[in-house]
Each structure stands twice: as structure tokens, then as C-alpha cells.
Amino acid sequence: MVDATASRVALVTGAGSGIGKAAALALLADGWKVVLTGRREAPLQETAQQSGAADRALVVTSDVSDPASVRAVFDAAVSAFGRVDLLFNNAGIGAPAVPLEDLSVDDWRAVVDTNLSGMFYCIQNAFRVMKAQTPRGGRIINNGSISAHTPRPNSIAYTATKHAVMGLTKTASLDGRKYDIAVGQIDVGNAGTELAQRLTQGVMQAHGAVAEEPLMDVGIVGQSVLYMANLPLEANVMFHTVMATKMPFAGRG
């Protein structure tokens, strides 16, 4: 098991914005060393500088849809910090909100390559590193989204991949037991990120009407990730849902 008093090293994908940035800032504020990765360097550098703990942040650009790129970022983490105790498997994209019969094959494949295959590549490399390090083990937190449970209209690619993330979480949790690797999932609803601001202007509901939806502070999600990250490896939150209280998730519509 990982010694809680030892240097803690996290790797956060999609750390340049939104939920990934909030989680990275929360981890850095708590004393973690954090590898910030994503496709664009400038936002990652901004996260590092905003944290006030850039000396404990390592910026490495990567594309999670490319298995060689994923392996390289994990190798960079081990080279810089010696180990990886936490993977926040967060990077994801959406597709245009069009009727499913109009969704292009290219848009479908792009979402699957990032949200499903990319998440698998990250889990696979986390296992590679965590089972070989001393002390052995670590924790993986997958970003599932509320869409892992319930779809929005015109979201088949995103929703299908997020449902699949639940399968990744359950199977990796089972397969990680023998290596002291705990795997859980955070499902977020209506966090106040730049991408979610459109919800305040009105978004289509299940019955076809357009309605505004409330948001919550994205920092709350960062604190949720931090809570899960700081659990001892003898305990695991397999599924954690954090959402704006008044968003239309439970119920009929």
C-alpha cells in the first residue's frame, strides 16, 4: 500500500481547463506533486502558475487518443517524480448536438477515440506503473459524467462512451485488487466550466422544450476529487456523484 506520508504524485489529464484544472489546483493546494497533461501547453502552464505551486507541477503535452503519447507522459511522470500514486482520468470531448442519424462517422470516432480508447490507454499505463513501483499500488479516478447514467437529447456518442466508462471502472477495479490499485469514478453534473455556460442560456430537455439549468462551482468538483484521492487504499469510492442540486437529473422529463 502507498504510505500516506510519502510524496504523493498525481497525473491529471485534461488539466488545462474545466474539471481537470479544478482537480489539479485542489491537488497542488493540498501538497501533491502533479503532472498536468493535455493537448495544449499554454493552458497547462496557466494552471501551474495559477496554483502558486509550479515547483511541484510538471507540464507534459499529450493526446490521450494516441497510445504512444499516453505511454510517454507516464514515463515522464516516473522520470520526474519516481512514481504515480493517482491518475485522474479526465480528458474528454463531445460531438455536435445533432440527431443521431446526422452524426458523422468522423465525429463518432473522435469521441470514441478520446473518451473510451483514451481512457483505457491511461488506465493501462497506470496499471503498468503502479503495480511495479515500491510501495506498490495507487488510485485511478475516472471522469464518468452524469451522462454515464442518463443521456441528454442528441448526445449519442458522448453518452455511449460515458456509459462505457462505467464498464472500465468496474472491470479495472476488479483487476486492480491484486496490485493494490483502487479504481473509482466521479460523475459530475452541471459544473460551472466554460463549456457548461451554455446551460444557463437554455438547453434542450428530454420533452423537447429548451430551459435554463443551474450550475455549481467547479471548485466543488476539485474538492470531491481530492477527497477520493486522499482515501487510504484500503477504502474506495467506486461511484461518486456531485451535481448542481436543482439540475434536472432525477425525475421524469
Side-chain angles (χ1 to χ4, degrees), residues 19-65:
I19 290 169
K21 180 176 182 178
L25 291 175
L27 290 161
L28 285 163
D30 193 54
W32 287 70
K33 295 177 181 177
V34 181
V35 180
L36 310 170
T37 191
R39 289 177 296 177
R40 298 178 296 144
E41 183 176 0
L44 299 173
Q45 294 288 358
E46 181 180 334
T47 299
Q49 294 304 316
Q50 185 177 332
S51 74
D55 58 318
R56 286 187 280 106
L58 175 68
V59 169
V60 185
T61 57
S62 68
D63 179 354
V64 297
S65 70

Short mmCIF file of all heavy atoms in Angstrom, two decimals, residues 19-65:
data_model
loop_
_atom_site.label_atom_id
_atom_site.label_comp_id
_atom_site.label_asym_id
_atom_site.label_seq_id
_atom_site.Cartn_x
_atom_site.Cartn_y
_atom_site.Cartn_z
N ILE A 19 -12.93 20.84 -15.35
CA ILE A 19 -12.85 19.94 -14.22
C ILE A 19 -11.42 19.48 -13.98
O ILE A 19 -10.97 19.38 -12.83
CB ILE A 19 -13.79 18.74 -14.44
CG1 ILE A 19 -15.25 19.20 -14.34
CG2 ILE A 19 -13.51 17.61 -13.45
CD1 ILE A 19 -16.26 18.17 -14.79
N GLY A 20 -10.68 19.21 -15.03
CA GLY A 20 -9.29 18.81 -14.86
C GLY A 20 -8.45 19.87 -14.18
O GLY A 20 -7.64 19.58 -13.30
N LYS A 21 -8.66 21.11 -14.58
CA LYS A 21 -7.94 22.22 -13.95
C LYS A 21 -8.32 22.35 -12.48
O LYS A 21 -7.46 22.53 -11.61
CB LYS A 21 -8.24 23.52 -14.69
CG LYS A 21 -7.53 24.74 -14.11
CD LYS A 21 -7.80 25.98 -14.95
CE LYS A 21 -7.06 27.20 -14.42
NZ LYS A 21 -7.30 28.39 -15.28
N ALA A 22 -9.62 22.26 -12.18
CA ALA A 22 -10.08 22.37 -10.79
C ALA A 22 -9.47 21.28 -9.92
O ALA A 22 -9.06 21.53 -8.78
CB ALA A 22 -11.60 22.31 -10.74
N ALA A 23 -9.41 20.07 -10.45
CA ALA A 23 -8.83 18.96 -9.70
C ALA A 23 -7.33 19.16 -9.50
O ALA A 23 -6.80 18.93 -8.40
CB ALA A 23 -9.09 17.64 -10.41
N ALA A 24 -6.64 19.59 -10.55
CA ALA A 24 -5.20 19.82 -10.44
C ALA A 24 -4.89 20.90 -9.41
O ALA A 24 -3.96 20.76 -8.60
CB ALA A 24 -4.63 20.20 -11.80
N LEU A 25 -5.67 21.98 -9.41
CA LEU A 25 -5.45 23.06 -8.44
C LEU A 25 -5.70 22.57 -7.02
O LEU A 25 -4.97 22.92 -6.09
CB LEU A 25 -6.36 24.24 -8.76
CG LEU A 25 -6.04 25.01 -10.04
CD1 LEU A 25 -7.10 26.08 -10.31
CD2 LEU A 25 -4.65 25.65 -9.97
N ALA A 26 -6.74 21.74 -6.82
CA ALA A 26 -7.03 21.22 -5.49
C ALA A 26 -5.91 20.31 -5.01
O ALA A 26 -5.50 20.36 -3.83
CB ALA A 26 -8.36 20.47 -5.51
N LEU A 27 -5.39 19.47 -5.88
CA LEU A 27 -4.31 18.56 -5.50
C LEU A 27 -3.03 19.33 -5.18
O LEU A 27 -2.35 19.05 -4.19
CB LEU A 27 -4.07 17.56 -6.64
CG LEU A 27 -5.18 16.52 -6.84
CD1 LEU A 27 -5.08 15.90 -8.24
CD2 LEU A 27 -5.10 15.43 -5.77
N LEU A 28 -2.70 20.30 -6.01
CA LEU A 28 -1.48 21.10 -5.76
C LEU A 28 -1.62 21.88 -4.45
O LEU A 28 -0.65 21.98 -3.68
CB LEU A 28 -1.23 22.04 -6.94
CG LEU A 28 -0.66 21.36 -8.19
CD1 LEU A 28 -0.83 22.25 -9.42
CD2 LEU A 28 0.81 21.00 -7.98
N ALA A 29 -2.80 22.41 -4.17
CA ALA A 29 -3.01 23.15 -2.93
C ALA A 29 -2.87 22.26 -1.71
O ALA A 29 -2.53 22.73 -0.61
CB ALA A 29 -4.39 23.81 -2.93
N ASP A 30 -3.10 20.97 -1.90
CA ASP A 30 -3.02 20.00 -0.81
C ASP A 30 -1.62 19.41 -0.66
O ASP A 30 -1.41 18.54 0.18
CB ASP A 30 -4.03 18.89 -1.03
CG ASP A 30 -4.24 18.03 0.21
OD1 ASP A 30 -4.55 18.59 1.28
OD2 ASP A 30 -4.09 16.79 0.10
N GLY A 31 -0.68 19.84 -1.49
CA GLY A 31 0.69 19.37 -1.35
C GLY A 31 1.13 18.28 -2.30
O GLY A 31 2.28 17.83 -2.24
N TRP A 32 0.24 17.85 -3.18
CA TRP A 32 0.61 16.82 -4.14
C TRP A 32 1.58 17.38 -5.19
O TRP A 32 1.56 18.57 -5.51
CB TRP A 32 -0.63 16.32 -4.87
CG TRP A 32 -1.55 15.45 -4.07
CD1 TRP A 32 -2.34 15.82 -3.03
CD2 TRP A 32 -1.80 14.05 -4.28
NE1 TRP A 32 -3.07 14.76 -2.56
CE2 TRP A 32 -2.76 13.66 -3.31
CE3 TRP A 32 -1.33 13.10 -5.18
CZ2 TRP A 32 -3.23 12.36 -3.23
CZ3 TRP A 32 -1.81 11.81 -5.10
CH2 TRP A 32 -2.74 11.44 -4.13
N LYS A 33 2.40 16.50 -5.75
CA LYS A 33 3.10 16.78 -6.99
C LYS A 33 2.16 16.34 -8.11
O LYS A 33 1.57 15.26 -8.04
CB LYS A 33 4.41 16.01 -7.06
CG LYS A 33 5.42 16.42 -6.00
CD LYS A 33 6.68 15.58 -6.08
CE LYS A 33 7.68 16.00 -5.01
NZ LYS A 33 8.89 15.13 -5.02
N VAL A 34 2.03 17.17 -9.14
CA VAL A 34 1.01 16.90 -10.15
C VAL A 34 1.60 17.04 -11.55
O VAL A 34 2.20 18.06 -11.89
CB VAL A 34 -0.20 17.85 -10.00
CG1 VAL A 34 -1.26 17.52 -11.06
CG2 VAL A 34 -0.80 17.74 -8.60
N VAL A 35 1.39 15.99 -12.35
CA VAL A 35 1.71 16.05 -13.77
C VAL A 35 0.47 16.55 -14.49
O VAL A 35 -0.60 15.94 -14.41
CB VAL A 35 2.10 14.66 -14.30
CG1 VAL A 35 2.44 14.74 -15.79
CG2 VAL A 35 3.28 14.10 -13.52
N LEU A 36 0.60 17.70 -15.13
CA LEU A 36 -0.50 18.33 -15.86
C LEU A 36 -0.37 17.98 -17.33
O LEU A 36 0.63 18.34 -17.96
CB LEU A 36 -0.46 19.84 -15.68
CG LEU A 36 -0.33 20.38 -14.25
CD1 LEU A 36 -0.06 21.87 -14.27
CD2 LEU A 36 -1.57 20.06 -13.45
N THR A 37 -1.35 17.31 -17.87
CA THR A 37 -1.23 16.93 -19.27
C THR A 37 -2.49 17.25 -20.04
O THR A 37 -3.59 17.29 -19.49
CB THR A 37 -0.84 15.44 -19.42
OG1 THR A 37 -0.49 15.17 -20.78
CG2 THR A 37 -1.97 14.53 -18.99
N GLY A 38 -2.32 17.51 -21.32
CA GLY A 38 -3.39 17.87 -22.23
C GLY A 38 -2.77 18.17 -23.57
O GLY A 38 -1.56 18.11 -23.74
N ARG A 39 -3.61 18.55 -24.52
CA ARG A 39 -3.10 18.75 -25.88
C ARG A 39 -2.41 20.10 -26.09
O ARG A 39 -1.56 20.22 -26.97
CB ARG A 39 -4.25 18.60 -26.88
CG ARG A 39 -4.74 17.17 -27.04
CD ARG A 39 -5.91 17.06 -27.98
NE ARG A 39 -7.08 17.76 -27.47
CZ ARG A 39 -8.24 17.87 -28.12
NH1 ARG A 39 -8.36 17.34 -29.33
NH2 ARG A 39 -9.26 18.50 -27.59
N ARG A 40 -2.76 21.10 -25.28
CA ARG A 40 -2.22 22.45 -25.49
C ARG A 40 -1.38 22.87 -24.29
O ARG A 40 -1.83 22.81 -23.14
CB ARG A 40 -3.36 23.44 -25.71
CG ARG A 40 -4.20 23.15 -26.96
CD ARG A 40 -5.33 24.15 -27.08
NE ARG A 40 -6.26 24.03 -25.97
CZ ARG A 40 -6.89 25.06 -25.40
NH1 ARG A 40 -6.68 26.29 -25.82
NH2 ARG A 40 -7.74 24.85 -24.40
N GLU A 41 -0.17 23.33 -24.57
CA GLU A 41 0.76 23.66 -23.49
C GLU A 41 0.35 24.91 -22.73
O GLU A 41 0.47 24.96 -21.50
CB GLU A 41 2.17 23.84 -24.04
CG GLU A 41 3.20 24.12 -22.95
CD GLU A 41 4.61 24.20 -23.47
OE1 GLU A 41 4.82 24.04 -24.69
OE2 GLU A 41 5.52 24.41 -22.65
N ALA A 42 -0.11 25.95 -23.42
CA ALA A 42 -0.37 27.23 -22.77
C ALA A 42 -1.37 27.11 -21.61
O ALA A 42 -1.10 27.62 -20.51
CB ALA A 42 -0.83 28.27 -23.79
N PRO A 43 -2.53 26.46 -21.79
CA PRO A 43 -3.45 26.33 -20.65
C PRO A 43 -2.86 25.51 -19.50
O PRO A 43 -3.16 25.79 -18.33
CB PRO A 43 -4.67 25.62 -21.26
CG PRO A 43 -4.58 25.88 -22.72
CD PRO A 43 -3.13 25.94 -23.03
N LEU A 44 -2.04 24.52 -19.81
CA LEU A 44 -1.41 23.73 -18.76
C LEU A 44 -0.44 24.59 -17.95
O LEU A 44 -0.40 24.52 -16.71
CB LEU A 44 -0.66 22.54 -19.37
CG LEU A 44 -1.50 21.54 -20.16
CD1 LEU A 44 -0.60 20.52 -20.86
CD2 LEU A 44 -2.49 20.82 -19.24
N GLN A 45 0.32 25.42 -18.64
CA GLN A 45 1.24 26.34 -17.94
C GLN A 45 0.45 27.32 -17.09
O GLN A 45 0.88 27.67 -15.98
CB GLN A 45 2.11 27.08 -18.96
CG GLN A 45 3.09 26.21 -19.72
CD GLN A 45 4.25 25.71 -18.88
OE1 GLN A 45 4.37 26.04 -17.68
NE2 GLN A 45 5.13 24.93 -19.48
N GLU A 46 -0.69 27.76 -17.58
CA GLU A 46 -1.53 28.68 -16.82
C GLU A 46 -2.03 28.02 -15.52
O GLU A 46 -2.05 28.65 -14.46
CB GLU A 46 -2.72 29.14 -17.66
CG GLU A 46 -3.63 30.13 -16.96
CD GLU A 46 -4.79 30.56 -17.83
OE1 GLU A 46 -4.66 30.51 -19.06
OE2 GLU A 46 -5.83 30.95 -17.26
N THR A 47 -2.42 26.76 -15.61
CA THR A 47 -2.84 26.03 -14.41
C THR A 47 -1.70 25.95 -13.40
O THR A 47 -1.90 26.19 -12.21
CB THR A 47 -3.30 24.60 -14.78
OG1 THR A 47 -4.42 24.68 -15.67
CG2 THR A 47 -3.72 23.82 -13.54
N ALA A 48 -0.51 25.62 -13.89
CA ALA A 48 0.65 25.52 -13.00
C ALA A 48 0.93 26.85 -12.31
O ALA A 48 1.15 26.89 -11.08
CB ALA A 48 1.86 25.05 -13.79
N GLN A 49 0.90 27.94 -13.05
CA GLN A 49 1.21 29.24 -12.47
C GLN A 49 0.10 29.70 -11.52
O GLN A 49 0.38 30.27 -10.45
CB GLN A 49 1.41 30.27 -13.59
CG GLN A 49 2.63 30.01 -14.45
CD GLN A 49 3.91 29.92 -13.65
OE1 GLN A 49 4.16 30.74 -12.75
NE2 GLN A 49 4.74 28.93 -13.96
N GLN A 50 -1.14 29.44 -11.88
CA GLN A 50 -2.27 29.84 -11.03
C GLN A 50 -2.24 29.11 -9.69
O GLN A 50 -2.70 29.65 -8.67
CB GLN A 50 -3.58 29.56 -11.75
CG GLN A 50 -4.82 30.06 -11.00
CD GLN A 50 -6.09 29.82 -11.78
OE1 GLN A 50 -6.08 29.79 -13.02
NE2 GLN A 50 -7.20 29.66 -11.09
N SER A 51 -1.70 27.92 -9.66
CA SER A 51 -1.67 27.13 -8.43
C SER A 51 -0.79 27.74 -7.35
O SER A 51 -0.98 27.47 -6.17
CB SER A 51 -1.19 25.71 -8.73
OG SER A 51 0.22 25.69 -8.98
N GLY A 52 0.20 28.53 -7.76
CA GLY A 52 1.18 29.03 -6.80
C GLY A 52 2.15 27.96 -6.34
O GLY A 52 2.91 28.17 -5.39
N ALA A 53 2.11 26.81 -6.99
CA ALA A 53 2.98 25.68 -6.62
C ALA A 53 3.60 25.08 -7.87
O ALA A 53 3.67 23.86 -8.02
CB ALA A 53 2.18 24.63 -5.85
N ALA A 54 4.05 25.93 -8.78
CA ALA A 54 4.59 25.46 -10.05
C ALA A 54 5.82 24.58 -9.86
O ALA A 54 6.15 23.78 -10.75
CB ALA A 54 4.94 26.66 -10.94
N ASP A 55 6.49 24.71 -8.71
CA ASP A 55 7.65 23.86 -8.45
C ASP A 55 7.26 22.40 -8.24
O ASP A 55 8.10 21.51 -8.34
CB ASP A 55 8.42 24.36 -7.22
CG ASP A 55 7.56 24.40 -5.97
OD1 ASP A 55 6.39 24.81 -6.05
OD2 ASP A 55 8.06 24.01 -4.90
N ARG A 56 5.98 22.15 -7.96
CA ARG A 56 5.50 20.78 -7.80
C ARG A 56 4.66 20.33 -8.98
O ARG A 56 3.99 19.29 -8.91
CB ARG A 56 4.70 20.64 -6.50
CG ARG A 56 5.56 20.66 -5.26
CD ARG A 56 4.76 20.35 -4.00
NE ARG A 56 4.03 21.52 -3.52
CZ ARG A 56 2.72 21.69 -3.62
NH1 ARG A 56 1.97 20.75 -4.20
NH2 ARG A 56 2.14 22.79 -3.17
N ALA A 57 4.65 21.11 -10.05
CA ALA A 57 3.85 20.78 -11.24
C ALA A 57 4.78 20.48 -12.42
O ALA A 57 5.78 21.17 -12.63
CB ALA A 57 2.93 21.93 -11.59
N LEU A 58 4.44 19.45 -13.16
CA LEU A 58 5.17 19.10 -14.38
C LEU A 58 4.20 19.17 -15.54
O LEU A 58 3.18 18.48 -15.54
CB LEU A 58 5.76 17.69 -14.27
CG LEU A 58 6.45 17.15 -15.53
CD1 LEU A 58 7.73 17.94 -15.82
CD2 LEU A 58 6.75 15.66 -15.37
N VAL A 59 4.48 20.01 -16.51
CA VAL A 59 3.64 20.16 -17.70
C VAL A 59 4.17 19.27 -18.81
O VAL A 59 5.33 19.38 -19.20
CB VAL A 59 3.59 21.63 -18.15
CG1 VAL A 59 2.95 21.76 -19.53
CG2 VAL A 59 2.86 22.48 -17.13
N VAL A 60 3.31 18.38 -19.32
CA VAL A 60 3.67 17.50 -20.43
C VAL A 60 2.49 17.45 -21.39
O VAL A 60 1.41 17.02 -21.00
CB VAL A 60 3.99 16.06 -19.95
CG1 VAL A 60 4.48 15.21 -21.13
CG2 VAL A 60 5.02 16.05 -18.84
N THR A 61 2.68 17.89 -22.61
CA THR A 61 1.59 17.81 -23.58
C THR A 61 1.42 16.37 -24.05
O THR A 61 2.38 15.61 -24.16
CB THR A 61 1.83 18.73 -24.79
OG1 THR A 61 3.07 18.38 -25.40
CG2 THR A 61 1.86 20.19 -24.36
N SER A 62 0.18 16.01 -24.32
CA SER A 62 -0.11 14.66 -24.80
C SER A 62 -1.49 14.63 -25.45
O SER A 62 -2.30 15.53 -25.26
CB SER A 62 -0.07 13.64 -23.65
OG SER A 62 -1.14 13.86 -22.76
N ASP A 63 -1.72 13.57 -26.18
CA ASP A 63 -3.02 13.32 -26.80
C ASP A 63 -3.44 11.93 -26.35
O ASP A 63 -2.83 10.93 -26.74
CB ASP A 63 -2.90 13.38 -28.32
CG ASP A 63 -4.21 13.10 -29.04
OD1 ASP A 63 -5.20 12.73 -28.37
OD2 ASP A 63 -4.24 13.22 -30.28
N VAL A 64 -4.48 11.84 -25.51
CA VAL A 64 -4.84 10.54 -24.94
C VAL A 64 -5.34 9.56 -25.98
O VAL A 64 -5.38 8.35 -25.72
CB VAL A 64 -5.88 10.69 -23.79
CG1 VAL A 64 -5.32 11.49 -22.64
CG2 VAL A 64 -7.19 11.25 -24.31
N SER A 65 -5.73 10.04 -27.16
CA SER A 65 -6.18 9.12 -28.20
C SER A 65 -5.02 8.41 -28.89
O SER A 65 -5.24 7.49 -29.69
CB SER A 65 -7.02 9.86 -29.25
OG SER A 65 -6.22 10.74 -30.02
#
